[in-house]
Amino acid sequence: FAIAKIHAQDLDGISKTVVFLRHDFIETVSNEKGTFEVWLKQPNTNSFFPKISSVTGTGFFVAHSNHLFLATAKHVANNMRFSESDQVVIGMQNGKSVGFPIAILRGANTNDWIHHQKADVSILPLDPPPQLIQSYLQQHFLTSSILEAGTNRPPRDVMLTIVGFPLGMGWGQDTEGDFIPLTRKTRASSGFINSGNLFLLEDPSVQGYSGAPIFDLAESIHTASVFMPSGRPVACFGVVSSTFSDNTGGKMGAVVPTKFILELINGYESSHP
């Protein structure tokens, strides 16, 4: 089933490819007798309810050749399973959100997460039903050319844009809320480090941005009298991984370069032509 891919330069188009990932679980406590689920009882009743907590993160959809993928940080993927409690939330044209179990997007092929051996990045091959693609997923997949444009180190004088869900915000979490992934502008502060596994940002990350893509949107230059296109292609330079910090309060965000996503995709496609 053919799927329309995002080639757009505008932020609204790019934001359609970004998804909120959520795993709900019953809280537990442990003591010398073992581990126990936490259930809450309403006063003066016999009604019990489990105490639910969530772990969340950001991911994004990618289309490469004839395959579809969900990409995120490995430490986010490790929390995401295939039960009804594991959801992917996407934004619709009306600004509202809709969620699906990850298992439905994975499809009947029952692929598992593919984790990179050296870098904090993972992909999940997807095979959603055609009716799901037609009704909900059109215009939600990033064309792989935007990944391929970002395989080199990002120039340190170029503004980069993180798109995701810090602190679990921006996914339309209440009935009046809109699905608008939050953005954060920053610049690269280093070249590739840790044997090429990371580059650093001038600013720290925020919890919930893990797994978020970071883009050069190739924004045009505007002055009072001049409008100049940047001449660069839109590029995805990587996936937000973590924050490096020290005991003085200094912090810098760490990003896994895009080349590691492409390595996983190419490895999968070489065995699934």
Side-chain angles (χ1 to χ4, degrees):
F1 195 96
I3 187 164
K5 307 170 192 175
I6 291 289
H7 301 265
Q9 181 167 333
D10 64 284
L11 182 57
D12 285 342
I14 291 292
S15 294
K16 292 178 182 178
T17 71
V18 180
V19 301
F20 181 70
L21 300 175
R22 175 174 176 163
H23 168 70
D24 295 332
F25 61 94
I26 301 175
E27 289 190 21
T28 60
V29 295
S30 298
N31 59 29
E32 66 279 1
K33 295 183 178 180
T35 300
F36 303 88
E37 293 182 344
V38 178
W39 286 64
L40 305 176
K41 178 181 179 296
Q42 290 183 331
N44 304 316
T45 73
N46 289 320
S47 298
F48 290 83
F49 302 92
K51 187 177 182 183
I52 302 295
S53 289
S54 301
V55 289
T56 66
T58 302
F60 58 105
F61 289 143
V62 177
H64 188 273
S65 301
N66 295 319
H67 296 101
L68 306 176
F69 301 94
L70 170 61
T72 188
K74 185 194 299 185
H75 72 271
V76 174
N78 282 335
N79 289 320
M80 300 297 152
R81 303 175 181 88
F82 303 104
S83 73
E84 289 293 325
S85 298
D86 299 275
Q87 296 277 317
V88 175
V89 181
I90 68 173
M92 303 305 293
Q93 292 288 348
N94 61 3
K96 301 306 177 184
S97 61
V98 60
F100 307 98
I102 295 177
I104 290 179
L105 295 178
R106 178 177 64 161
N109 57 18
T110 64
N111 287 306
D112 204 348
W113 288 98
I114 302 172
H115 306 296
H116 202 282
Q117 295 301 307
K118 297 191 299 181
D120 182 26
V121 68
S122 301
I123 62 169
L124 178 67
L126 304 178
D127 186 19
Q131 62 270 25
L132 195 66
I133 295 176
Q134 185 173 22
S135 300
Y136 294 101
L137 298 181
Q138 293 291 347
Q139 300 290 335
H140 280 84
F141 282 80
L142 193 70
T143 177
S144 58
S145 63
I146 295 179
L147 296 183
E148 291 156 357
T151 51
N152 295 319
R153 174 181 63 82
R156 292 194 293 172
D157 59 350
V158 168
M159 186 65 71
L160 302 175
T161 303
I162 304 171
V163 187
F165 305 96
L167 306 178
M169 298 187 296
W171 60 277
Q173 54 266 47
D174 56 65
T175 56
E176 300 300 321
D178 292 323
F179 184 97
I180 299 180
L182 278 64
T183 57
R184 186 179 182 94
K185 299 283 189 179
T186 186
R187 287 183 169 88
S189 65
S190 78
F192 294 146
I193 64 171
N194 283 22
S195 301
N197 292 350
L198 296 171
F199 66 87
L200 299 180
L201 303 174
E202 292 181 353
D203 302 290
S205 181
V206 179
Q207 186 177 4
Y209 267 140
S210 291
I214 182 165
F215 296 97
D216 170 15
L217 296 177
E219 297 168 283
S220 300
I221 301 171
H222 299 263
T223 68
S225 58
V226 177
F227 176 86
M228 296 178 57
S230 71
R232 303 188 305 275
V234 174
C236 176
F237 278 104
V239 173
V240 175
S241 174
S242 60
T243 292
F244 285 7
S245 60
D246 64 17
N247 57 11
T248 70
K251 296 180 179 180
M252 292 185 293
V255 177
V256 177
T258 297
K259 64 180 181 180
F260 292 107
I261 306 173
L262 289 171
E263 284 181 9
L264 290 176
I265 289 174
N266 290 331
Y268 174 82
E269 292 185 341
S270 67
S271 59
H272 297 78

